[in-house]
Amino acid sequence: MAKTRSPSASSPSSASSASTPAAPPSPPPGATSPTRATKAGLRTAPHGSAPLSPPRVEHVLGSFLATVSGPATPPADEEDGEHLDPGEVPGFVPASAAQRKLVLSKTLVQRGSARMSANPNKAAEHGEANALQPRQGEHAQPLPDDEASGSTRSEENDSEKVGDGRPHSGHNPLAGTLDRVRVDSRGRMLTTNQGVPVADNQNSLKAGLRGPTLLEDFILREKITQFDHERIPERVVHARGSGAFGVFECYDSQEQITRADLFGKAGKQTPVFVRFSTVAGERGSADTVRDTRGFAVKFYTEQGNWDLVGNNMPVFFIQDAMKFPDLIHAVKPEPHNGMPQAASAHDTFWDFISLMPESIHHTLWAMSDRGIPRSYRTMQGFGVHTYKLVNAAGEAVFVKFHWLPTAGTHSMVWDEAAKICGADADFHRRDLWEAIETGLYPQWELAFQVFSAEQAATFSFDVLDATKLIPEELVPLRVVGKMTLDRNPDNFFAETEQAAFCTAHIVPGIDFSNDPLLQGRIHSYLDTQISRLGGPNFHEIAVNAPIAQVHNNQRDGMHRQAIHRGRVAYEPNSLGGGCPHQAGMAGFVSTARRMAPLSESASEIEKLRGKPEKFADHFSQAQLFWRSQTAVEQRHIVDAFRFELTRLTVPAIRERVVSQLLNVDARLARGVADGIGIALPTPQPLAIEELGLAPVMSEVEASAGLSLFARPGNVRCAGRRVALLVADGADATALREVQRRLAEADAVPRVVGMRLGRVLCSQGQPIEIETTVESLPSVLWDAVVLPQGDGQNDAGLSALAADPDVQDFIKQQYRHGKPILAAGRHGRDMLVKAGVPLKLAGDRPDPGLVLDEGQADSGSDEFIAAVGRHRQHEREG
Ligand code: HDE
């Protein structure tokens, strides 16, 4: 119920003086004279109230109509608003409480406005000095009287809905923690969206038990309508993804190079939300397809949100935003038949790529095992573009951002990835979710590559070209902090699906470079949210709202949440005391300081379409990447090209791709050509040759960090899923021991059998089967332990070894390079029945195949070490 506060609740005002001393208000020439204003309605009392008397109040009150005019003459200036009370307004004889308030607020507004006799900020809008050092907006100290800034004099009439009308001065509660919007229905009755309790959630309203449903059934209609509109448009790219919250912790202050507060001091913690994604597939597509992965981080900093929207590969397909729609149209399902889903192995993608030599570098990354990561937790992340860091003195350096997973970089093999698409389309989403739920919090270190414009000018490539990376040998990584993901979202839709990342979300201390791809992105992300999230107010959706305060004069639009008090939605203003005022140097300042030109031939022309000449070198870094891969990785790249190109239906496109690969490496091209059964074509012409430019030699012959194997990580077995195959007659003691050892190493051992239920192990001990080879097939496991017999009941284990599904299971573990612990005679028997060779070619021992001939867990150490190494690629050779 509404409770009306007593008029005495209106606090006496105490206006502090303006930060800019304002001239005492003297009525400007021609201003409405008190006499004219008071004539307008002095004697018009509000409806139902007694006529005012005595007449001496005439020159103060003006009209009592709140929207027509206020008191034309402010009360005595000497009071300056201090402790102003309606009862003390000179010449005012209080009538009703509402009248008192009206006069008070109008008086305060007049006083506030009169403090600003002119726009004190105007002159500072001009000239270079002001442009380089924008000034903080001059403004009045806020009056403590809520009446002066409110929208309505009735603000104090409170209720359970409108609240008590006491705004927290200068505070926007939409910015802040998610607790303000979190809903918990424990112990609650079901209601409609209007909060009306629903008596029956089982039946619609009908004309008789067997009669038709009535249009009157507003409960059914509300429920169905809501359901009908549950979906929002999916992201045009990166539609498939998954996210989590966490925290970024700064190791050491980086204030010498950036004034961004998240890098301000050692130990500084900043909340984050991260979304990983594939690029090409639709929202329901599988996780483990071959694709680039998105790696988007939203930092909720004290200076506002910073979104570092990156990928798991450091380079991109194209150099200019102009080509992005073309690239995406080429890779998405073909428009005539909507196929294939989440795959680049089709004509239009390779048609485009084969005609765009600059895309070959990224294509090599995508065809490498980076395109099929084992887990989001085992991917590197890259900001891709060159950005700038800017310190408090306005000095800028260039920077590239890198995320380094503490779990190391690990990938799948293609056959496994393709099979997982069928076995568990949510493989990566599940892995991330489970890791966090079980406390194995994924972590990445953030590293900077910092370099000056002078350095950049000496590189063989242009740092504004997103198809190029900077070898670590040229600019080393400087590790600056660590990100830990430790909180799953409460609601996938509300948080992950509605998360809006945007390269334009940037904070003081970080700035854009002129990379023409980045420049286009600055526009695209904001624009795309408008249609995806239904209007310009997506920043108010809880997950997107910053923890920093939001105050501006932007208003209205679909789904506006904030209820702005007052009349002021423009600047300059005097009615709001000049607030919200511009921050000047405390705010985001685009780097203006001239950096050294990136090349001597830097163009003086101001407006043109084109590319710098260094962009014309399309192959030197693709060659560097190829040279930096191990033999296994190179083999996988060749295989990936072979797979993709085999799926094409136009031979000319295949040939064109190979003719491009010839510009990267002859062995690569030959391998692919052999794989698809064509003769080597002639290489494609080189743009640099046609332009008469000198060939570009990369600064380094090979860059170790470009190999996936360069970062094995430090978490060893943590989170690795190990299948413990069992059947009747398995040795329970050995099983339990290996299970214990794996759990101690933070691996995830699970007992897997043919059917759910129990098996009877040694000495009649029952063991519960947790899952089956059918429901979680081989590809979903990182390693397998084959059972040891108890020496008494062989029948169960023999049946297990003879089962074709089990044989397939073991065969695939072997084929995908996964560690196998085969205990005792039965274990060995199962390997043989599955056709697994016990030695590598040349009779070499297989370090991933642990044949435990001893008791209980004697092979555990070796096996755990093999699980920690992840995969046995030697089996492929
Ligand atoms: Fe994006 N990209 N992109 N992109 N991108 C989007 O924004 C775009 C590019 C990346 O988890 C879209 O909200 C253009 C490079 C990620 O929500 C869209 C260009 C890199 C995500 C868009 C690029 C990325 C997106 C689609 C070329 C790596 C997912 C939905 C100028 C550095 C973010 C959305 C998430 C999403 C446009 C190129 C990464 C349409 C125009 C380069 C990780 O705005």
Side-chain angles (χ1 to χ4, degrees):
M1 278 304 294
K3 301 172 269 126
T4 306
R5 275 191 238 122
S6 80
S8 61
S10 82
S11 56
S13 58
S14 79
S16 56
S17 57
S19 63
T20 321
S26 54
T32 312
S33 75
T35 336
R36 273 163 57 199
T38 46
K39 272 183 190 157
L42 174 72
R43 299 197 181 278
T44 314
H47 182 68
S49 66
L52 293 171
S53 65
R56 69 191 172 85
V57 301
E58 277 185 21
H59 69 285
V60 175
L61 292 181
S63 169
F64 274 104
L65 295 175
T67 56
V68 177
S69 68
T73 306
D77 295 330
E78 60 274 16
E79 286 189 55
D80 198 26
E82 290 295 326
H83 309 299
L84 188 65
D85 182 275
E88 294 168 16
V89 176
F92 174 63
V93 177
S96 68
Q99 287 166 10
R100 285 178 203 212
K101 283 191 58 58
L102 184 58
V103 172
L104 170 64
S105 74
K106 295 218 166 212
T107 304
L108 290 171
V109 167
Q110 156 63 11
R111 285 188 169 187
S113 175
R115 286 173 179 178
M116 213 176 265
S117 62
N119 179 353
N121 302 311
K122 198 66 199 169
E125 289 172 23
H126 306 87
E128 195 172 283
N130 283 319
L132 294 177
Q133 297 266 320
R135 288 206 225 145
Q136 196 182 90
E138 302 272 11
H139 60 285
Q141 287 298 329
L143 292 168
D145 305 87
D146 294 344
E147 287 80 0
S149 58
S151 309
T152 164
R153 320 302 155 214
S154 59
E155 198 173 43
E156 282 194 348
N157 298 338
D158 61 0
S159 79
E160 282 172 11
K161 179 60 186 171
V162 301
D164 68 6
R166 288 190 191 285
H168 305 287
S169 177
H171 181 70
N172 180 347
L174 287 184
T177 80
L178 294 175
D179 289 338
R180 69 200 155 79
V181 287
R182 211 164 260 137
V183 180
D184 186 319
S185 298
R186 269 175 293 189
R188 289 290 181 177
M189 278 188 305
L190 186 79
T191 72
T192 65
N193 282 341
Q194 301 304 315
V196 177
V198 175
D200 179 346
N201 192 33
Q202 321 307 323
N203 301 294
S204 44
L205 185 69
K206 287 172 290 193
L209 284 181
R210 305 187 65 248
T213 302
L214 298 177
L215 189 60
E216 180 192 322
D217 191 349
F218 68 97
I219 297 180
L220 172 74
R221 278 175 31 229
E222 180 197 84
K223 188 171 175 180
I224 299 282
T225 305
Q226 175 82 34
F227 170 76
D228 291 345
H229 298 274
E230 273 176 9
R231 297 288 166 269
I232 60 171
E234 68 175 31
R235 291 166 173 84
V236 58
V237 284
H238 295 266
R240 170 79 187 171
S242 212
F245 293 94
V247 69
F248 172 76
E249 183 170 343
C250 176
Y251 285 158
D252 295 304
S253 171
Q254 302 296 322
E255 63 187 357
Q256 283 186 331
I257 49 172
T258 175
R259 59 184 277 241
D261 87 287
L262 76 159
F263 301 121
K265 61 172 189 282
K268 167 88 186 164
Q269 298 207 333
T270 302
V272 296
F273 180 71
V274 180
R275 183 172 177 272
F276 304 104
S277 49
T278 53
V279 180
E282 292 166 6
R283 183 155 56 192
S285 56
D287 281 345
T288 60
V289 296
R290 179 178 296 283
D291 200 351
T292 303
R293 297 298 185 287
F295 192 129
V297 183
K298 190 183 285 293
F299 295 88
Y300 302 93
T301 87
E302 287 174 20
Q303 296 164 307
N305 287 355
W306 173 38
D307 292 354
L308 179 55
V309 195
N311 278 344
N312 74 329
M313 300 177 192
V315 289
F316 203 66
F317 290 106
I318 48 171
Q319 297 169 319
D320 191 300
M322 193 68 128
K323 298 309 295 170
F324 191 66
D326 298 303
L327 165 71
I328 298 306
H329 290 171
V331 73
K332 280 274 183 179
E334 298 196 6
H336 59 310
N337 57 18
M339 292 189 276
Q341 179 59 249
S344 52
H346 58 111
D347 289 323
T348 56
F349 176 71
W350 288 100
D351 186 25
F352 179 80
I353 293 295
S354 63
L355 297 168
M356 296 282 288
E358 64 268 47
S359 56
I360 198 70
H361 187 192
H362 187 171
T363 308
L364 281 187
W365 279 81
M367 294 302 118
S368 80
D369 292 346
R370 307 269 182 167
I372 41 172
R374 159 66 178 78
S375 155
Y376 294 140
R377 295 180 288 135
T378 58
M379 301 187 319
Q380 254 170 296
F382 301 90
V384 175
H385 311 280
T386 295
Y387 286 86
K388 284 181 209 157
L389 294 176
V390 190
N391 67 11
E395 294 157 346
V397 285
F398 283 128
V399 65
K400 292 256 189 191
F401 297 109
H402 295 242
W403 290 109
L404 309 169
T406 57
T409 47
H410 298 282
S411 283
M412 298 181 166
V413 291
W414 172 241
D415 181 67
E416 175 193 19
K419 289 189 166 103
I420 292 178
C421 288
D424 184 3
D426 306 308
F427 189 82
H428 285 151
R429 179 177 293 184
R430 193 183 310 285
D431 177 87
L432 179 67
W433 178 271
E434 285 184 351
I436 294 174
E437 288 296 290
T438 53
L440 290 174
Y441 301 140
Q443 292 187 314
W444 288 260
E445 288 192 309
L446 179 66
F448 294 165
Q449 270 181 309
V450 178
F451 54 100
S452 66
E454 290 77 7
Q455 259 178 299
T458 66
F459 296 158
S460 65
F461 50 90
D462 195 322
V463 296
L464 302 184
D465 174 357
T467 68
K468 307 287 178 3
L469 52 82
I470 306 185
E472 289 170 39
E473 291 77 5
L474 221 53
V475 181
L477 300 189
R478 178 199 294 201
V479 176
V480 296
K482 184 188 273 186
M483 176 171 76
T484 306
L485 298 184
D486 59 0
R487 172 69 153 92
N488 276 319
D490 285 303
N491 185 284
F492 186 88
F493 177 83
E495 295 171 299
T496 307
E497 195 58 19
Q498 294 198 112
F501 291 91
C502 180
T503 42
H505 296 167
I506 200 157
V507 290
I510 303 171
D511 205 351
F512 309 108
S513 72
N514 292 342
D515 174 341
L517 195 64
L518 175 60
Q519 294 283 320
R521 294 180 74 201
I522 298 167
H523 160 73
S524 175
Y525 289 70
L526 192 141
D527 183 47
T528 202
Q529 312 305 347
I530 291 173
S531 59
R532 197 171 71 81
L533 297 171
N537 289 318
F538 61 87
H539 62 281
E540 290 190 342
I541 295 173
V543 67
N544 298 323
I547 57 168
Q549 282 285 295
V550 176
H551 295 280
N552 57 39
N553 294 316
Q554 291 159 34
R555 291 291 187 273
D556 307 347
M558 298 260 211
H559 319 302
R560 190 64 164 176
Q561 307 288 304
I563 302 171
H564 290 278
R565 297 172 69 251
R567 295 189 276 167
V568 173
Y570 55 88
E571 193 269 352
N573 67 69
S574 72
L575 294 181
C579 292
H581 57 88
Q582 74 177 35
M585 294 306 282
F588 181 86
V589 185
S590 293
T591 339
R593 189 160 296 203
R594 196 159 282 125
M595 299 180 79
L598 287 174
S599 82
E600 292 195 350
S601 61
S603 173
E604 292 297 320
I605 302 172
E606 282 185 359
K607 231 183 249 177
L608 76 175
R609 293 180 192 271
K611 295 186 177 72
E613 285 182 341
K614 273 190 182 174
F615 279 43
D617 161 39
H618 301 137
F619 293 99
S620 69
Q621 287 217 343
Q623 292 160 358
L624 171 67
F625 177 73
W626 172 257
R627 286 195 302 267
S628 305
Q629 302 300 292
T630 60
V632 175
E633 290 170 294
Q634 289 186 343
R635 200 163 51 234
H636 289 181
I637 292 172
V638 171
D639 291 350
F641 272 101
R642 186 190 63 221
F643 173 88
E644 297 265 320
L645 300 184
T646 303
R647 297 290 288 257
L648 306 189
T649 65
V650 182
I653 300 177
R654 286 195 196 113
E655 193 164 316
R656 213 160 45 222
V657 174
V658 179
S659 72
Q660 220 174 47
L661 293 179
L662 272 166
N663 288 329
V664 180
D665 184 83
R667 206 159 41 82
L668 164 66
R670 204 174 314 110
V672 176
D674 287 350
I676 58 175
I678 64 168
L680 274 184
T682 48
Q684 287 201 9
L686 298 176
I688 44 167
E689 275 178 12
E690 290 181 5
L691 289 166
L693 302 172
V696 177
M697 297 302 292
S698 177
E699 285 81 353
V700 288
E701 174 62 19
S703 180
L706 301 185
S707 163
L708 191 66
F709 301 138
R711 296 190 163 85
N714 59 12
V715 298
R716 299 171 51 75
C717 296
R720 297 269 152 80
R721 299 167 167 194
V722 183
L724 310 175
L725 285 186
V726 297
D728 286 340
D731 182 331
T733 317
L735 180 84
R736 288 298 181 216
E737 193 51 26
V738 78
Q739 195 175 22
R740 187 184 64 75
R741 296 289 309 281
L742 284 165
E744 271 172 13
D746 280 334
V748 186
R750 290 279 177 272
V751 180
V752 183
M754 298 302 295
R755 298 279 174 275
L756 284 185
R758 289 174 170 188
V759 291
L760 275 184
C761 293
S762 49
Q763 294 89 40
Q765 272 190 48
I767 285 196
E768 199 80 32
I769 304 281
E770 294 174 283
T771 187
T772 65
V773 286
E774 181 190 48
S775 74
L776 289 191
S778 181
V779 284
L780 302 182
W781 301 95
D782 293 303
V784 63
V785 177
L786 306 181
Q788 183 165 332
D790 63 3
Q792 293 159 20
N793 176 8
D794 282 357
L797 294 181
S798 301
L800 191 70
D803 188 285
D805 287 342
V806 173
Q807 290 176 4
D808 254 7
F809 190 104
I810 299 169
K811 207 179 297 174
Q812 282 182 27
Q813 287 285 304
Y814 179 81
R815 185 168 167 215
H816 299 150
K818 295 173 177 174
I820 303 176
L821 171 60
R825 177 172 60 81
H826 285 285
R828 179 183 284 262
D829 182 42
M830 288 179 85
L831 287 178
V832 173
K833 288 225 166 71
V836 168
L838 302 184
K839 288 277 172 68
L840 295 176
D843 210 29
R844 287 172 302 136
D846 180 341
L849 195 58
V850 182
L851 298 171
D852 181 8
E853 307 291 353
Q855 283 304 300
D857 67 326
S858 60
S860 296
D861 285 342
E862 207 183 323
F863 178 62
I864 287 172
V867 177
R869 285 197 305 273
H870 193 56
R871 236 172 252 279
Q872 226 47 69
H873 285 296
E874 290 86 341
R875 288 184 197 151
E876 294 172 27

